[in-house]
Amino acid sequence: INKNIGTILARNGKQAEADEYFQRALEFAPDKWTDMANLAGTYVNRGEPSRSLSIYEQLVELRPDDTKMWNDYGVATSSAGYLTVAEKYFRKAIELDPDFQEVWNNLGSNFMHRALRDQAIEAFKKALELSPKYLAPQINLCLILGFADRLDEAYMYAQSVVMHENFQPQMFS
């Protein structure tokens, strides 16, 4: 029940309260990976990714073939500022499932934060190749191509973003 309450609280933006319930759930079942993943995700969502890293380390040991877990570990590690290390985790996720578009977008974001434009563009394009309607890499391509003075390409992606079914103007305000 603690896990369910924590999930409800997390979905309603009450991360600190959710953290408390996920911790309680772990006390009763410390080997349950879903509870550990929920707690780690709560730390990342609260802006405390460093607190999640030891949990993700345990999770990838428990589930070494879990693509999403490696991706989430990469996101947490990247958010904690360890960009080069995070790349290794994204690449592990890609090794496990090269068709997982979210990890390609996250790898692109990692490259973008490290000013590795060509690699970022390549990763974002791969995410779009795998899922042409995926909005995040379209936005990221628009931004990075604009910064790279590749304005014709940036404009093409900007048009695509504005025409996207999930586009909301407040995304850019």
Side-chain angles (χ1 to χ4, degrees):
I1 192 151
N2 285 312
K3 178 176 74 171
N4 293 338
I5 294 170
T7 300
I8 291 167
L9 289 167
R11 286 184 184 154
N12 287 295
K14 299 183 179 190
Q15 299 298 326
E17 293 92 340
D19 176 14
E20 192 176 314
Y21 282 94
F22 289 140
Q23 295 250 9
R24 286 186 200 162
L26 279 174
E27 289 174 20
F28 295 106
D31 58 350
K32 291 190 83 177
W33 71 269
T34 54
D35 296 334
M36 294 171 68
N38 285 332
L39 180 60
T42 298
Y43 287 145
V44 173
N45 292 336
R46 279 179 36 195
E48 302 176 62
S50 296
R51 291 183 70 188
S52 72
L53 298 181
S54 63
I55 298 170
Y56 279 120
E57 186 175 337
Q58 294 172 51
L59 286 167
V60 295
E61 285 180 26
L62 288 171
R63 301 177 59 89
D65 295 330
D66 189 324
T67 304
K68 185 175 178 340
M69 203 62 64
W70 282 102
N71 179 63
D72 292 351
Y73 193 12
V75 169
T77 305
S78 190
S79 297
Y82 305 108
L83 299 174
T84 306
V85 175
E87 179 186 347
K88 293 177 192 174
Y89 302 147
F90 292 134
R91 291 202 180 276
K92 177 65 178 177
I94 289 167
E95 176 187 313
L96 293 169
D97 182 2
D99 295 333
F100 185 33
Q101 73 275 2
E102 185 179 340
V103 74
W104 283 102
N105 184 64
N106 290 333
L107 179 61
S109 293
N110 179 285
F111 286 144
M112 190 164 61
H113 284 98
R114 293 164 54 199
L116 300 171
R117 287 186 184 154
D118 291 338
Q119 293 96 320
I121 291 167
E122 184 179 322
F124 294 139
K125 286 185 175 181
K126 180 65 176 180
L128 270 181
E129 174 189 314
L130 294 168
S131 183
K133 292 188 176 186
Y134 188 16
L135 183 59
Q138 292 178 44
I139 293 169
N140 289 330
L141 278 165
C142 177
L143 294 171
I144 198 162
L145 290 166
F147 290 131
D149 287 328
R150 292 167 58 178
L151 301 180
D152 288 341
E153 288 177 90
Y155 180 71
M156 179 186 76
Y157 286 106
Q159 286 181 310
S160 182
V161 167
V162 172
M163 299 304 292
H164 195 281
E165 61 194 42
N166 294 327
F167 174 73
Q168 299 171 1
Q170 61 269 27
M171 294 168 126
F172 297 97
S173 56

